[in-house]
Amino acid sequence: DHLRKLKMMKYFLLPSQLAFLCNFVLSKPVQVCPCSETALHVHFLHLAESEIAVHEGDILLRRGQRSAINCESCLWPKSQDGLVKVPVNISSDFSLTERSWIADALQEVSTLTCVKFVNRTTETDYVYVEHGCWSYFGKIGGRQAVGLMKNGCMDKGAIQHEMNHALGFIHEQARSDRDKFVKIVWEHIMAGNFGKVKSKNLGLPYDYSSVMHYGAYDFSSAPGKPTIVPIPNPSVPIGQREGLSNLDVAKINKLYKCNCCSSVLPKPKGSFSSVNYPSPYPNNSNCLWLIRIRQSKIFLQFETFDLQTSSDCSSDYIKVYNGNSKNSPVLLDKYCGKGPLPSVVASGSTMLVEFATDETVTATGFRASYSQRFKIQVPAPKDFERF
Ligand SMILES: [Zn+2]
């Protein structure tokens, strides 16, 4: 049965049919269609089909390793400092701009989890990024390729998606419990990529907003015919590739047993506070909030602020970065004591807030809210109507 499916898939992936499909779905000629995850397999199957089996569109498994879905040995090793270093080498075929996109997407993972993508030097096991749109599942040993490609497979979330496969993650809609959350519309599906696996779900909930979730129309046989329908509410968005969801981060940290306190705030506005707020925050903690909104500057305001006072704020402090990592430019350097704090504006669509505490003295902490830069001053029309 598996072999039959594979044959079907290869058949489906004939380049001529692919071009037809892309044109058909988008009603205009394009080089790479949105279903490129599968589409771009063509190239790879051609190169290595003797030793590689295809699983779920863009995941490649060495033959005979299908059971690796629940693997432990395919995880990347953790070093003594608690960090999981994944060496990466990017093919020189990529332009400087493309390399910066890849670096930015990987930086986000490195910031929010104990998985740290590092430049490969002499490591034996490493990821080699080349053109394509696929990945192996988990660490396979030696040099393992991950395929990425602009125009369809290089959004931040797409890069993280392929890397997540290499870290050991399957597609969200392939989870063992998926039938409670989505309906697979088999009659609209062109290829058999929608199987379910006996996955370990890490005790964390199903996540419609995961970068590992397919979109509603992926691999559809015709425009407007969904292949995946969320239940009970069919209009819940699925298939975003803007970046790791909050649960994507939690899952990486859980799979790799990281002790990280990290959150993603992907909505256009929201608020967050220190742990236990307004009760005293814990000692010896370090939490990060990554605010990531769509094509807009971020405006951050602290509503309340009460941290242990120390000289140079070396004990407990808040620090805000203009970007998605601690290497980004600092917007607000270590700040402590009692507020009020100046408002902070990020120049781009990501902002990182760090809250660190030492081993003594706590206080009530803080509560902060954020929004898109200019909307805060001009009430939306709806607000007027309500008044
Ligand atoms: Zn995938």
Side-chain angles (χ1 to χ4, degrees):
D1 182 48
H2 177 54
L3 210 71
R4 191 181 56 80
K5 272 188 194 163
L6 258 176
K7 278 181 184 164
M8 269 177 55
M9 197 174 292
K10 277 186 206 164
Y11 179 70
F12 159 67
L13 288 170
L14 283 172
S16 57
Q17 291 188 318
L18 182 64
F20 167 76
L21 169 71
C22 292
N23 294 345
F24 186 58
V25 171
L26 297 177
S27 306
K28 60 177 180 185
V30 287
Q31 285 188 315
V32 181
C33 76
C35 45
S36 53
E37 268 212 338
T38 294
L40 293 163
H41 268 122
V42 178
H43 171 66
F44 197 83
L45 277 172
H46 178 66
L47 289 176
E49 64 184 21
S50 58
E51 63 163 329
I52 307 294
V54 177
H55 179 75
E56 276 195 50
D58 68 328
I59 310 177
L60 309 174
L61 298 176
R62 293 252 179 232
R63 285 204 188 283
Q65 288 199 350
R66 271 186 78 96
S67 62
I69 291 301
N70 283 320
C71 79
E72 289 291 338
S73 60
C74 76
L75 298 187
W76 294 80
K78 193 184 250 186
S79 38
Q80 297 224 314
D81 55 10
L83 303 179
V84 178
K85 288 181 185 130
V86 179
V88 178
N89 185 4
I90 302 174
S91 160
S92 54
D93 292 346
F94 289 96
S95 70
L96 276 178
T97 311
E98 290 167 333
R99 298 167 81 85
S100 73
W101 292 339
I102 297 168
D104 183 61
L106 300 188
Q107 180 72 66
E108 203 167 279
V109 181
S110 299
T111 300
L112 299 171
T113 74
C114 67
V115 172
K116 308 291 175 197
F117 292 105
V118 296
N119 286 326
R120 186 244 177 186
T121 51
T122 57
E123 293 90 344
T124 322
D125 299 341
Y126 67 102
V127 168
Y128 180 73
V129 181
E130 59 184 49
H131 282 103
C133 194
W134 33 258
S135 178
Y136 288 94
F137 171 75
K139 179 171 81 72
I140 62 166
R143 162 172 151 160
Q144 75 181 80
V146 163
L148 297 175
M149 195 170 237
K150 72 175 180 185
N151 300 328
C153 200
M154 217 178 283
D155 289 341
K156 184 187 276 185
I159 296 166
Q160 293 165 342
H161 175 113
E162 300 305 340
M163 282 295 180
N164 257 5
H165 283 320
L167 293 178
F169 287 92
I170 55 164
H171 291 135
E172 192 70 1
Q173 82 282 346
R175 275 171 62 129
S176 56
D177 59 351
R178 66 106 183 270
D179 292 330
K180 286 189 263 179
F181 304 96
V182 291
K183 181 177 182 291
I184 305 296
V185 192
W186 295 102
E187 61 268 33
H188 294 169
I189 294 172
M190 275 197 306
N193 300 326
F194 292 75
K196 200 165 56 168
V197 296
K198 283 185 184 164
S199 56
K200 285 178 180 171
N201 299 324
L202 302 166
L204 288 167
Y206 192 89
D207 182 15
Y208 292 115
S209 63
S210 170
V211 292
M212 302 312 285
H213 207 299
Y214 274 0
Y217 298 93
D218 287 356
F219 305 97
S220 173
S221 56
K225 290 189 171 176
T227 50
I228 305 179
V229 179
I231 43 182
N233 178 2
S235 58
V236 170
I238 51 175
Q240 68 87 10
R241 295 290 182 268
E242 280 160 35
L244 296 175
S245 72
N246 204 31
L247 274 166
D248 285 331
V249 170
K251 284 168 187 174
I252 296 172
N253 282 328
K254 192 130 187 206
L255 183 66
Y256 282 94
K257 301 185 172 70
C258 314
N259 186 20
C260 290
C261 170
S262 304
S263 315
V264 178
L265 301 166
K267 292 185 182 144
K269 62 177 185 176
S271 60
F272 57 101
S273 53
S274 48
V275 178
N276 301 335
Y277 182 85
S279 296
Y281 54 78
N283 284 315
N284 292 318
S285 72
N286 191 302
C287 292
L288 295 172
W289 291 266
L290 176 70
I291 305 170
R292 187 184 56 225
I293 61 181
R294 222 181 285 183
Q295 294 169 347
S296 175
K297 294 180 177 184
I298 301 162
F299 179 87
L300 176 74
Q301 205 161 21
F302 286 87
E303 293 159 3
T304 61
F305 193 86
D306 179 15
L307 268 54
Q308 171 192 3
T309 306
S310 61
S311 61
D312 300 337
C313 294
S314 53
S315 296
D316 300 352
Y317 64 86
I318 278 278
K319 193 169 174 179
V320 183
Y321 302 86
N322 192 13
N324 63 359
S325 93
K326 290 185 190 176
N327 298 325
S328 306
V330 175
L331 278 173
L332 177 73
D333 210 349
K334 290 181 178 178
Y335 206 96
C336 61
K338 286 186 191 295
L341 254 76
S343 297
V344 187
V345 184
S347 62
S349 56
T350 56
M351 179 190 272
L352 185 71
V353 181
E354 178 187 14
F355 175 45
T357 71
D358 71 353
E359 66 284 354
T360 57
V361 189
T362 83
T364 54
F366 71 90
R367 187 180 154 78
S369 65
Y370 72 92
S371 61
Q372 297 180 25
R373 179 61 182 99
F374 297 111
K375 298 226 165 131
I376 194 156
Q377 291 150 338
V378 185
K382 269 187 181 168
D383 290 326
F384 282 123
E385 283 162 22
R386 237 187 290 139
F387 298 133

